[in-house]
Each structure stands twice: as structure tokens, then as C-alpha cells.
Amino acid sequence: MPHTAFDLLTIEEITARLARYSEPDCVAMVMKAYSFAENAHKGQTRRSGEEYIVHPLNVASILSELQLDCPTVVAALLHDTVEDVEGVTLDLIEKEFTPEVRGLVDGVTKLGRLDFADREEQQAENWRKMILAMGKDIRVIMIKLADRMHNMRTLSFQPQDRQLPTARETLDIYAPIAHRLGVYTIKAELEDLSLRFIDPQGYKDVATKVGQKRIEREAQIRTIIQTLTDKLKEMEVENFEIEGRPKHLYSIYRKMVIQNRTFDQIYDLIAIRVLVDTIPECYTVLGAAHTLWTQMPGRFKDYISTPKPNMYQSLHTTLIGGRMIPTPFEVQIRTREMHRIAEEGIAAHWKYKEGRVGAGRDEQHFQWLRQLLEWQQEVRDPQEFLRNLKIELYPEEVYIFTPKGEVKALPRGATPVDFAYSVHTDVGHQCVGARVNGKMVPLRTRLRNGDIVEIVRQPGHKPSRDWLNFVATSRARNKIRHFIHGEEKARSLELGRKLFDKEARRFGLNVKSLTEGEKFAALLAEHGFQKGDELFTAIGYGKLAAKTVLARLVPQEELKEPQRGPIASVVRRVLGPGEDKIKVRGVDDLMVFRARCCNPIRGEQIIGYITRGKGVSVHS
């Protein structure tokens, strides 16, 4: 039976790993879950020919390496049982294990294949479910990431027509989610595995070029490490570690293809990482590095004072070493705690026992997830949903400051309007101008890293449809659309009422009696409306005609043109060549005015209607 290098493990290896960081009863529960899954999947095999239990075993192994808690590892072993095994239900999972495990398994279980127009709609709805589950418990997506990582490791066994779509989905959605959660180890492997199937030749070329200079690069790394070690010992810095930092292939490929650089123009092929105990020591090491080598202008980043949204903290600087090290190289400096979070992200930081997102000091780290939860409920079109999801997950970020010094991370290309909506919906709606670094700028101005933005507000101001042409964030775009839709709906409701009232009055009918009867309730139910306002809105939008609605409420014999009253019948155009007055024959001293809706002009046939307190309203 064929195996891959990743599959040669046993449940004992996982439980041994768990025993080092979890409670004793955890091992017993994991063993029970393994036996349950092994029995449920008995007789099932993967396309590689392996027994199916190999897959959940590997997923559980990946999560235990990240030291996730016991319920997560248990759910990883069970994650395919409900979806793929007949007779295994969520109720059974809860009975055999816990409600917590049931919730995790439910979160990663795909929706059924019924009632979807196409595969794209099903994919979009599965992701909606996943985002909602993430909102309740972030561990759901950790299981899904581990599941996808093992599937990518064995993707070569899948039919060729499925390999490319799976790799593309992994690169567009799964890897960005890993990035957002700060789980670098998973992100890097997913990207490299995806590249092998998306551009096999490009992957091979990059791997070859990296391999060709490996010996030269390793010699230069040894020289840098030794030089910096001697300097730090001289400065009496204690308990530090220096190591060469591996650069994953996709990041090199991305710079060569997307940024159109040659292999020799990539400055961080040679990279080292320095780990220390405290933040002050980070800056001490930075000073030492800058005294030893020349710092490249514009290539220094301080993610300690300004962390990334995924909790990443580190100092990055790019240096040139002269004749001994002619190639530019990157140095990353961070504390050991920062390194743990940089590698494991949310897995290192999240307190799983709380079982919910955004508790206490973690709140700011989940701003992006809250925004996903907001707009996913507003966007119903599957194509737009998946497109926005990809944009929202992996933006090229810029860091913008409020006047009070708070930091907002926005996608590159964001405008003051995007910034305003990131602060609060009302701030966005009321935005009439912006000051960037103290100067007034147009609202369509693209913000740059480090800009200080102040929004000028005007209560009662409404967002413009034109803003949709330049905003960059899904949050801003959906808030604007939602507001405009609400305004249009209100106008359509008002117009629909007027059209219906006018049509009813034309036949001398009472509107109130028409809308309170059983026929009106039946008509609402027939069209799927809950209340009358929805019907009038549909009339205002032009989806239904007022005349058609009236015909369903009133017998046909009652819908006859009424005989005009004495005043209506005698209003006529009696203007001569030099006159511009309208007279009512047979009545003196009666106020007459032209209706603004149609503003009748000379030569048109006209008709008059008696109004309350204004005399006769004349219409064409």
C-alpha cells in the first residue's frame, strides 16, 4: 500500500505529544476518538490507496504540533465522520464525546449538495458557514487549515482536472486565512504546495536557482552569524540565538513574477534571525547590525512598535556587507515570545478555554473577522461574495494613524472614505472631507503608509453613489450600498403608495378598505410579502403595476371609469392667442392652479380635480 513521507505516524506519537502539554484525561479522550473514527471509516480508502484513517490522523498530528487543545485534536480525528459515514450524526458525536466537540465537527462539516444552483453557489455558502463558525470559535478554521494542508500534501493522487482548482482555492483563500491568523508555518507550506500545481515550471525554476546558490549562500550566512555573534558578545548581550532563516519558494516566485524582479534583485534570499529575551535587547541588536554593515534606505520596518493585525512583531532591516558579503541580506530581530507567535500565530496566542472570538485584549486582533461576519450577511451574490472574500483576506496593507495615534490597517489603495468607515459606520456616512497630515485632500486620495488622517464630518450628510467608484475595502463598499439601497427602498415605498392611491381614486375607491380586507392579505401571501409596505415598494420599483394589483382586489365590474363631476367636466382650455389663464365654466372666483407633476401647456387636453383647500388642480 503506497504511503507518503507525511503519513508514517501512529496515534501513539500524537498522544505522546499531547501528554507533554495537556491533562491526563485528554489522552484517553483522543484514544477513544481514534477508535471511533477508525471504526467509522473502516473499509474506506483514499485515492492514494491508503486507509482513510490516515487522513484524520495526519490532521490531528498537525494540530498537536501546534499544541492545540484536546477538543480540537479530538474533533480533527472525527471531522469527516458526519460528512462521509452513513449513520454517524452530530447527535451521536455529542453523545459519545461533548457538545464542544460536536460544535467543532459541525463547523467543519460541509453543507449538503441539495438546493444549489451551481458549484460556485455551494462553495460560497460553505464559506459563509465557515465564517459564521469561525465567529463562534476560531478553532474551526484551525482544523480546516490542517485538513487542507494534508490534502495538499497528497494532491498529486487526485484527478488532474481537480488539482488546479484545489490549488487555486488554497492559494486564494486558505493561505490568506493562515496569514491573517499569523500561522506562518501553515501559510508557507500551503503556498509552496499550491505553486507546484499552479505553475509547475515556475516552481521548478525557482527551486533550481535557489539550489544552485545554496553553498555560496550558506557560506555567507555563516560569516554574518559569526561576525554578529562576536559583536553582541563584545556588547555583553546574553542569551541570544542567531540562525539562518529559510525563505519559502512562493515568496521568491511572487517577487519575480508579480514584482517583475530578477533572481539577483531579491534582497532577502540571504536572511538571518536573531532571538533575544527582551524588547530593549531587540533594539540593541539592531544598533549592532547597523554599525557592522550599511543599511539600505527605505528597507527598515519596525513591527514591534506597530504590530501587524495578525499579531506579528519583529524588526526587519536589509543590509549590504561590502566585499565579504556583496549580496544584500535581511536581518529579523525579535524576542522568543514574538517568534512563537510569528510561527504559530493564533495557535500560540488564543485562550481556547474561552471558546469565543475577541475576548479582552484579543479584541483588536479579530477586527478583520468581525468585518467578514458583517458583510457576508449583506452580500448574497456567490461570485461577489467569493471575490470580496479573496480581497478582504489578503490585502497589501498600509498603516494609517488617527489624530490620537491609534493605528488602522487598511489595504493598499485605501482612501479617506475607507478610513472613515473603518472607524465607524456613522463616521463614514457623515464624511464630507479629510485632512491627511494636516492638509485637506480629495476623498478619492490614496493613503500611504504612516499618514495621519482626520475626517471632517457633517451630521445629516449622506454617502454618495460615486464613492463606490474609488473605495477599496469591502466594508466601505457594502455600507455605502446598504445605505443607498435603504434610501431607494424608502423612495420606492412612497412612490408605490402614491401610484396605488391615485389608481384607487380614479375609480372612486377607498384605499383603507382595500388594504384591510382578506383579499389584500391573500395577495400579499401570493407574492411572498409579509406586509403591505413590501407590496407598495414593489409597485414603486416597477415590479408590479398598481392597476394589476387593484384588479386583483376589486371585481371587474367596479373598475369602470367614473362619471366626472360637474366641475371636472367643465374645465377646458379657453386660452386665446395672448392669454395664459385657465377658467372653470359656470363657477366664479374659484382658485385654479396647474399641477407640478405634469405642468400642462397650451394646446394640451386638460382635466381638473377638486382638492381640499386649494381649489381645482389642473392636469394634462
Side-chain angles (χ1 to χ4, degrees), residues 397-446:
E397 288 165 338
V398 292
Y399 296 93
I400 311 301
F401 294 88
T402 69
K404 294 182 178 180
E406 297 175 6
V407 182
K408 295 287 182 182
L410 295 172
R412 195 169 299 279
T415 65
V417 175
D418 294 293
F419 176 82
Y421 278 105
S422 75
V423 175
H424 194 277
T425 300
D426 289 341
V427 176
H429 287 347
Q430 297 171 10
C431 174
V432 293
R435 293 186 184 92
V436 176
N437 303 323
K439 296 181 180 179
M440 291 296 296
V441 299
L443 290 179
R444 60 176 63 244
T445 302
R446 300 297 173 185

Side-chain angles (χ1 to χ4, degrees), residues 110-287:
K110 293 178 183 176
L111 297 173
R113 301 184 181 277
L114 302 176
D115 301 323
F116 293 113
D118 51 37
R119 186 182 180 279
E120 189 171 57
E121 183 181 342
Q122 181 182 0
Q123 184 187 28
E125 291 307 314
N126 279 327
W127 275 107
R128 283 186 202 278
K129 180 185 178 186
M130 191 73 63
I131 290 169
L132 288 171
M134 285 168 61
K136 296 176 183 176
D137 196 327
I138 204 71
R139 294 173 292 178
V140 167
I141 199 61
M142 293 302 299
I143 299 170
K144 198 64 181 174
L145 287 172
D147 173 57
R148 179 51 62 106
M149 188 150 84
H150 183 251
N151 283 334
M152 287 301 297
R153 288 171 175 174
T154 57
L155 187 60
S156 59
F157 294 105
Q158 292 291 334
Q160 286 194 341
D161 62 338
R162 289 189 59 184
Q163 290 178 3
L164 184 59
T166 301
R168 175 54 64 188
E169 182 187 41
T170 301
L171 191 61
D172 287 346
I173 298 180
Y174 284 92
I177 287 179
H179 169 77
R180 280 288 199 170
L181 295 175
V183 194
Y184 178 83
T185 51
I186 290 182
K187 168 187 177 285
E189 184 171 342
L190 288 178
E191 288 178 339
D192 284 355
L193 290 169
S194 299
L195 181 60
R196 290 179 59 185
F197 296 93
I198 292 172
D199 186 356
Q201 188 58 48
Y203 177 88
K204 184 178 179 181
D205 290 346
V206 171
T208 301
K209 288 174 180 175
V210 169
Q212 287 172 346
K213 294 196 173 184
R214 182 175 60 85
I215 296 176
E216 175 188 342
R217 191 169 62 252
E218 288 177 352
Q220 292 178 345
I221 287 174
R222 284 195 297 271
T223 301
I224 294 167
I225 290 176
Q226 187 59 53
T227 304
L228 186 55
T229 298
D230 293 342
K231 183 67 174 178
L232 294 180
K233 286 181 177 178
E234 179 187 322
M235 298 174 68
E236 298 183 351
V237 177
E238 298 179 354
N239 197 28
F240 62 86
E241 297 176 40
I242 307 178
E243 60 184 5
R245 181 180 68 85
K247 188 72 175 175
H248 72 291
L249 298 181
Y250 178 75
S251 65
I252 300 171
Y253 171 88
R254 193 167 181 268
K255 290 177 180 178
M256 291 175 64
V257 174
I258 298 177
Q259 300 179 15
N260 199 27
R261 297 190 200 177
T262 65
F263 187 74
D264 294 329
Q265 290 175 318
I266 298 174
Y267 298 141
D268 51 356
L269 282 172
I270 298 176
I272 67 166
R273 181 180 292 132
V274 185
L275 303 181
V276 292
D277 289 332
T278 66
I279 291 177
E281 286 178 330
C282 291
Y283 291 96
T284 300
V285 174
L286 178 69

Side-chain angles (χ1 to χ4, degrees), residues 13 42 91 110-111 139 154 179 238 246 264 301-302 353 453 491 540 545 605:
E13 293 176 58
K42 186 171 292 183
D91 290 338
K110 293 178 183 176
L111 297 173
R139 294 173 292 178
T154 57
H179 169 77
E238 298 179 354
D264 294 329
K301 295 175 182 176
D302 186 346
K353 63 183 179 182
V453 181
R491 286 197 295 269
Q605 291 292 319

Side-chain angles (χ1 to χ4, degrees), residues 28-91:
M29 183 183 284
V30 169
M31 288 299 297
K32 179 182 177 182
Y34 175 72
S35 299
F36 184 96
E38 185 179 38
N39 184 60
H41 290 298
K42 186 171 292 183
Q44 294 181 348
T45 57
R46 306 194 83 214
R47 289 185 183 273
S48 60
E50 298 163 316
E51 293 180 6
Y52 196 92
I53 190 62
V54 167
H55 171 63
L57 196 60
N58 273 270
V59 175
S61 177
I62 292 167
L63 296 172
S64 67
E65 287 173 2
L66 292 170
Q67 296 193 4
L68 269 81
D69 67 336
C70 189
T72 309
V73 178
V74 169
L77 289 166
L78 303 172
H79 77 276
D80 275 339
T81 55
V82 174
E83 187 177 334
D84 294 340
V85 179
E86 189 174 350
V88 177
T89 64
L90 291 171
D91 290 338

